[in-house]
Amino acid sequence: MVYKFRVILDAEEDVFRDIAILEDDTLEDLHNAIFNSFGFDGMEVASFYTCDETWNQEDEISLFDTGDIPGEQKIMSDYQLSDILDKENTKILYVYDFINMWTFLVELAAIEDQLAGNTYPETIFSHGEMPDEAMEKNFESDNADDYNDEFEDGLDEDDLDMFEGDDSFEDYGFEENWN
């Protein structure tokens, strides 16, 4: 079977590619197809992230093993597309180049029979031009205000007055250590 993906760049302008690839190809094969179809040189690190139906990021699947114990972490080449994606699980995130954070929404749009004579993977449709720079990301949590409340210490400026005029650190000879 052939998986047909729509790969959408997270950008202000509409930029996407439709890619057809075999279901038994790996996530690494999809990674190669994506960076080629968007004109990247493939020299940067990338990862896929499983996600839920509303694109909330879950587990990372990296290009290289970055774990503490070599071989313990599964990487892109360890997963066939059909291991991760099917009719119920159609979405995955892709991040290319962790300096610039090119981020893509990858959605399985169709599963079709393989056509004789076609070479896979292939870019079957291309829309939009790549911008010069990746869109700036805001990594603030939806519930960031909850964290402020949780760690509020209840101190204000008046509470810090108790340290004013306190030169007791001199009694311990700390100035000698700065010479």
Side-chain angles (χ1 to χ4, degrees), residues 5 15 27 38 72 122 151 166:
F5 289 98
V15 179
L27 282 174
F38 282 92
E72 184 177 64
E122 73 171 319
F151 296 108
D166 183 8

Side-chain angles (χ1 to χ4, degrees), residues 48-82:
F48 283 101
Y49 296 88
T50 59
C51 61
D52 62 18
E53 279 300 308
T54 57
W55 298 103
N56 292 311
Q57 179 178 318
E58 294 173 346
D59 298 325
E60 179 181 15
I61 303 168
S62 61
L63 182 58
F64 303 108
D65 186 345
T66 57
D68 294 333
I69 301 170
E72 184 177 64
Q73 179 182 3
K74 289 181 90 174
I75 58 175
M76 288 182 199
S77 60
D78 295 328
Y79 291 97
Q80 288 185 332
L81 295 175
S82 58

Side-chain angles (χ1 to χ4, degrees), residues 1-8 17-25 27 30 34 48-49 51-53 55 80-94 104-113 124:
M1 300 300 288
V2 173
Y3 278 16
K4 290 188 175 179
F5 289 98
R6 172 143 297 166
V7 182
I8 305 167
R17 307 290 184 261
D18 291 347
I19 296 173
I21 187 169
L22 298 174
E23 70 176 329
D24 57 354
D25 281 341
L27 282 174
L30 181 58
I34 292 171
F48 283 101
Y49 296 88
C51 61
D52 62 18
E53 279 300 308
W55 298 103
Q80 288 185 332
L81 295 175
S82 58
D83 294 339
I84 300 288
L85 300 157
D86 54 37
K87 290 181 181 179
E88 285 77 41
N89 300 302
T90 60
K91 297 178 181 178
I92 194 165
L93 297 168
Y94 174 72
F104 300 85
L105 309 174
V106 181
E107 186 163 16
L108 179 60
I111 301 174
E112 299 177 356
D113 290 327
I124 54 178

Side-chain angles (χ1 to χ4, degrees), residues 146-157:
D146 296 343
Y147 295 118
N148 288 339
D149 294 341
E150 180 181 339
F151 296 108
E152 182 63 43
D153 60 10
L155 293 176
D156 59 20
E157 290 296 319

